[in-house]
């Protein structure tokens, strides 16, 4: 089963005034403005970059509906506006003299501020913390000649220093198995798969391979679970 929200109704007092606020001050896109009768229009606006849920600007038609304008949630935050650039959009609120209810704060989930639209509805402006998916690789190596263990470790440290200078490298860790000093574990983290491929083709890695000091027993592409 697949479902999704298409529209959320905001009760307003005037179509044109509402359109002007949401399109000129919040820079939403006017998706539709269709006249249904002499007093009723079908008006949809949507944040730029969004492609699903729109706001339906619904003009109040009686006293009961008018009493709900600006207070559809009993004073709680009503709508949550996600952004890819908090600084830009918060400055836009200030430039347009939009009332700030709560100044920006940094929370576990991102940066957030609360503002009020022209009717008094409360909005969260949120830039969520971006989760970066790095590329992880683990290799288990066997030293071929135990008399060259110190040389292998020295060359691996040199390789690590050179690898960490690569623009796509996040980390490069070398571990020696305590119960079998001929086994070396290399944990690598790169910005993305392309960075890992660039590393495989790097001169310093190819030079290390030519030394023929170790055998690759196992190699894994791994996922971070934290």
């Amino acid at each position: 089963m697949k479902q999704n929200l298409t529209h959320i109704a905001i009760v307003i007092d005037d179509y044109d005034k509402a359109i002007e606020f949401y399109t000129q001050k919040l820079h939403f896109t006017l998706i539709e403005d269709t006249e249904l009768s002499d007093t009723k229009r079908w008006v949809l606006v949507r944040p730029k970059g969004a492609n699903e849920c729109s706001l339906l600007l619904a003009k109040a038609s009686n006293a009961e509906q008018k009493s709900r304008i600006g207070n559809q949630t009993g004073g709680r935050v009503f709508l949550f506006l996600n952004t890819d650039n908090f600084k830009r959009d918060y400055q836009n609120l200030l430039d347009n003299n939009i009332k700030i209810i709560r100044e920006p704060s940094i929370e576990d989930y991102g940066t957030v501020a609360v503002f009020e639209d022209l009717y008094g509805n409360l909005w969260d402006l949120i830039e969520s913390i971006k989760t970066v998916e790095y590329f992880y690789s683990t290799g288990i190596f066997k030293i071929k000649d135990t008399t060259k263990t110190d040389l292998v470790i020295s060359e691996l440290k040199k390789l690590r220093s050179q690898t960490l200078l690569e623009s796509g490298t996040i980390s490069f860790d070398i571990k020696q198995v305590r119960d079998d000093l001929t086994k070396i574990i290399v944990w690598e983290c790169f910005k993305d798969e392309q960075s890992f491929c660039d590393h495989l083709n790097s001169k310093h890695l190819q030079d290390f391979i030519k030394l023929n000091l170790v055998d690759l027993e196992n190699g894994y592409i791994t996922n971070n679970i934290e």
Side-chain angles (χ1 to χ4, degrees), residues 83 86-87 104-107 109-113 125-129:
T83 176
F86 181 91
K87 183 177 180 180
S105 62
I106 298 176
E107 308 294 342
Y109 52 83
T111 304
V112 60
L125 175 68
I126 304 172
E127 182 177 3
S128 300
I129 293 175

Side-chain angles (χ1 to χ4, degrees), residues 40-78:
K40 189 174 182 180
R41 289 152 62 181
W42 182 261
V43 180
L44 298 174
V45 295
R46 181 187 297 163
K48 290 188 182 299
N51 55 20
E52 286 191 354
C53 190
S54 301
L55 295 182
L56 172 64
L57 305 183
K59 185 177 178 180
S61 60
N62 56 47
E64 178 65 19
Q65 292 178 14
K66 289 179 181 178
S67 71
R68 297 295 187 266
I69 294 176
N71 191 26
Q72 294 179 223
T73 56
R76 295 187 58 126
V77 170
F78 179 27

Side-chain angles (χ1 to χ4, degrees), residues 68-154:
R68 297 295 187 266
I69 294 176
N71 191 26
Q72 294 179 223
T73 56
R76 295 187 58 126
V77 170
F78 179 27
L79 296 163
F80 298 79
L81 182 62
N82 280 312
T83 176
D84 62 353
N85 189 324
F86 181 91
K87 183 177 180 180
R88 175 198 65 207
D89 291 342
Y90 183 73
Q91 186 61 50
N92 177 69
L93 299 178
L94 298 178
D95 292 344
N96 284 283
N97 297 313
I98 295 174
K99 186 176 181 180
I100 304 301
I101 301 301
R102 195 179 81 193
E103 297 292 330
S105 62
I106 298 176
E107 308 294 342
D108 291 341
Y109 52 83
T111 304
V112 60
V114 180
F115 69 92
E116 185 179 275
D117 66 16
L118 78 167
Y119 295 110
N121 296 303
L122 299 185
W123 294 61
D124 268 4
L125 175 68
I126 304 172
E127 182 177 3
S128 300
I129 293 175
K130 298 176 177 63
T131 302
V132 178
E133 294 293 336
Y134 292 130
F135 189 89
Y136 298 88
S137 171
T138 300
I140 301 176
F141 298 90
K142 181 77 171 179
I143 298 175
K144 290 185 175 183
D145 184 345
T146 57
T147 66
K148 296 182 178 180
T149 297
D150 290 343
L151 174 62
V152 172
I153 293 175
S154 175

Side-chain angles (χ1 to χ4, degrees), residues 17-59:
K17 184 172 71 173
I19 290 172
E20 180 182 5
F21 175 82
Y22 290 111
T23 62
Q24 299 301 314
K25 293 195 173 185
L26 291 186
H27 303 298
F28 285 14
T29 300
L30 179 62
I31 302 299
E32 184 177 352
D33 184 359
T34 301
E35 186 174 329
L36 301 178
S37 70
D38 291 341
T39 59
K40 189 174 182 180
R41 289 152 62 181
W42 182 261
V43 180
L44 298 174
V45 295
R46 181 187 297 163
K48 290 188 182 299
N51 55 20
E52 286 191 354
C53 190
S54 301
L55 295 182
L56 172 64
L57 305 183
K59 185 177 178 180

